[in-house]
Amino acid sequence: MAWEEWERAKAATAEGRVARMRLNEAGPGGAGDLDLVVYQDDLGAVGHEAFVLHGELRKRADIAGAGADKNGSGSTMRAAAELRSHDLGLGAELESTVEVWTSQVKHVLQACAHISNHLDYSKKLYAEEDAKIAAEIRGRTGTLPVSVLNDYFK
């Protein structure tokens, strides 16, 4: 935050024009008029799409294993070996291309799996935390001290 923004925020607070922080579904009015809301369903949907992308990419992007023979050698690698056996430089280049492609696909698969797992975990964790905070707030009378709120930001 720039210094000017900080000064404007302090002035707005002093004038009472600042939006207050509210938790989802806690307090009067529920979650209907909140400025920032993260829905667990959205996290789950993105995580699911990453999972679907992972599965499709695994099936369709495997050029090293496509058309594999009984020894497990894919048609592209067999073509590279055939070209190399005739002393054509294209064989080595094709083999190198398959190796680089396979490495890049593995990185993308790993990223998709990481995103999927993380968002599924986040969805579950945030739902549990929201329920825990809401239960504690409902069980209190009066205002919730800032020191108690700070416990939730660990």
Side-chain angles (χ1 to χ4, degrees), residues 47-138:
H48 176 72
E49 289 301 318
F51 176 78
V52 169
L53 177 61
H54 180 275
E56 288 297 314
L57 188 60
R58 233 177 82 216
K59 283 190 278 185
R60 298 175 187 234
D62 183 16
I63 63 172
D69 62 8
K70 62 182 177 183
N71 298 324
S73 181
S75 59
T76 308
M77 291 304 275
R78 287 196 314 271
E82 185 68 25
L83 290 168
R84 286 182 95 176
S85 73
H86 293 300
D87 296 325
L88 296 172
L90 182 60
E93 296 303 320
L94 183 58
E95 189 174 294
S96 176
T97 300
V98 169
E99 289 170 0
V100 169
W101 173 263
T102 301
S103 172
Q104 295 300 317
V105 168
K106 285 180 181 178
H107 287 317
V108 173
L109 286 170
Q110 187 177 25
C112 287
H114 180 76
I115 290 167
S116 176
N117 292 341
H118 180 73
L119 290 177
D120 286 345
Y121 172 77
S122 295
K123 176 184 174 184
K124 180 180 178 215
L125 180 68
Y126 292 152
E128 290 171 358
E129 283 296 311
D130 279 352
K132 179 179 167 186
I133 292 168
E136 184 165 329
I137 290 173
R138 274 190 223 103

Side-chain angles (χ1 to χ4, degrees), residues 20-24 31 33-39:
R20 304 284 181 216
M21 181 187 85
R22 290 199 354 221
L23 300 172
N24 291 354
D33 57 351
L34 298 176
D35 290 336
L36 176 62
V37 177
V38 175
Y39 295 102

